[in-house]
Amino acid sequence: STQSTWVTSRKQIRFVVMNNVFQTENDIHIKYDLKGSTYGRSATPAQIACGDACIYKDNDFANRFIHVGSHRRTILIQQIRRDVEFLKRMDIMDYSFLLGIHENSSSPKPMNNINTAACLTSEDGGMASNSKNEIYYIGIIDILQEFSVRKSTEYMIRSILHGRHEISAVPPAEYANRFLAFLDRHIK
């Protein structure tokens, strides 16, 4: 008789189901991929030449703000904080805040007064600015990068060359704090 030994390994598999942040009938006129870091975080001239297809980055957003008012700001920051705390617990870093802006050229519709996180998508799938001249479409993306040996090595090398406060690849707790601080400064 022959005896076979089957060794099975248990590999952790994660499924992520997400909505398309830009699923709207509105045109998205400006797109940003924001991390809260500065090294290499500018759109190149070639990317800018692509017009509406360009995805701008942190340095391009330096003097911009998301104007939603104090009540919706509180709801938005609380939701971002909960999401980021979860990602930090999962040892995830290098995620981005995806921001699409529809510049509203038509006469603004009355703003919905919703007191829950639903206010984040209540205006044609997005959130209207205080002036109602813009609609913001937002989401946290690129949430699958763990702080692996490769990322740890990248962190060590780049922090020596460029300074740890400028680079994207930092440990999850530091990444989360910097990400939250950046959004806290830019959401008004």
Side-chain angles (χ1 to χ4, degrees):
S1 117
T2 311
Q3 185 177 7
S4 296
T5 305
W6 293 89
V7 178
T8 60
S9 64
R10 299 189 128 214
K11 184 178 180 180
Q12 185 175 12
I13 299 174
R14 295 183 178 137
F15 291 93
V16 177
V17 179
M18 299 176 70
N19 286 336
N20 178 350
V21 174
F22 296 154
Q23 186 171 351
T24 177
E25 292 182 16
N26 291 328
D27 291 330
I28 304 297
H29 298 108
I30 304 172
K31 296 178 245 7
Y32 290 94
D33 177 307
L34 305 170
K35 295 177 179 277
S37 59
T38 57
Y39 176 72
R41 301 293 302 156
S42 299
T44 66
Q47 291 168 329
I48 293 169
C50 292
D52 286 354
C54 180
I55 299 177
Y56 294 93
K57 299 177 183 167
D58 301 70
N59 293 329
D60 308 310
F61 195 73
N63 297 316
R64 294 245 4 207
F65 298 94
I66 300 169
H67 296 278
V68 294
S70 63
H71 176 71
R72 290 184 303 152
R73 178 189 190 281
T74 299
I75 292 170
L76 179 56
I77 292 291
Q78 286 174 348
Q79 184 61 55
I80 293 168
R81 192 173 307 281
R82 284 191 298 268
D83 292 344
V84 167
E85 286 301 317
F86 171 77
L87 293 170
K88 184 169 68 171
R89 282 193 314 274
M90 297 294 106
D91 210 25
I92 303 291
M93 44 75 69
D94 216 16
Y95 41 87
S96 299
F97 186 80
L98 181 63
L99 169 65
I101 302 174
H102 168 73
E103 295 167 341
N104 199 1
S105 57
S106 62
S107 58
K109 296 185 259 183
M111 203 163 38
N112 295 331
N113 188 14
I114 299 174
N115 294 320
T116 66
C119 75
L120 306 180
T121 58
S122 64
E123 307 296 325
D124 294 326
M127 180 174 28
S129 65
N130 282 346
S131 66
K132 301 180 192 105
N133 291 334
E134 297 177 324
I135 299 177
Y136 306 119
Y137 295 89
I138 59 174
I140 296 178
I141 62 167
D142 300 335
I143 59 170
L144 300 176
Q145 181 61 59
E146 293 183 81
F147 194 65
S148 61
V149 172
R150 186 177 133 265
K151 284 293 182 179
S152 180
T153 303
E154 179 183 342
Y155 164 67
M156 288 187 296
I157 292 169
R158 285 194 173 177
S159 63
I160 292 168
L161 296 174
H162 306 289
R164 66 186 285 175
H165 300 294
E166 297 178 9
I167 61 174
S168 171
V170 295
E174 186 176 340
Y175 191 93
N177 292 339
R178 182 181 64 200
F179 185 82
L180 289 168
F182 176 84
L183 292 174
D184 190 57
R185 286 190 309 274
H186 288 275
I187 299 173
K188 302 286 181 191

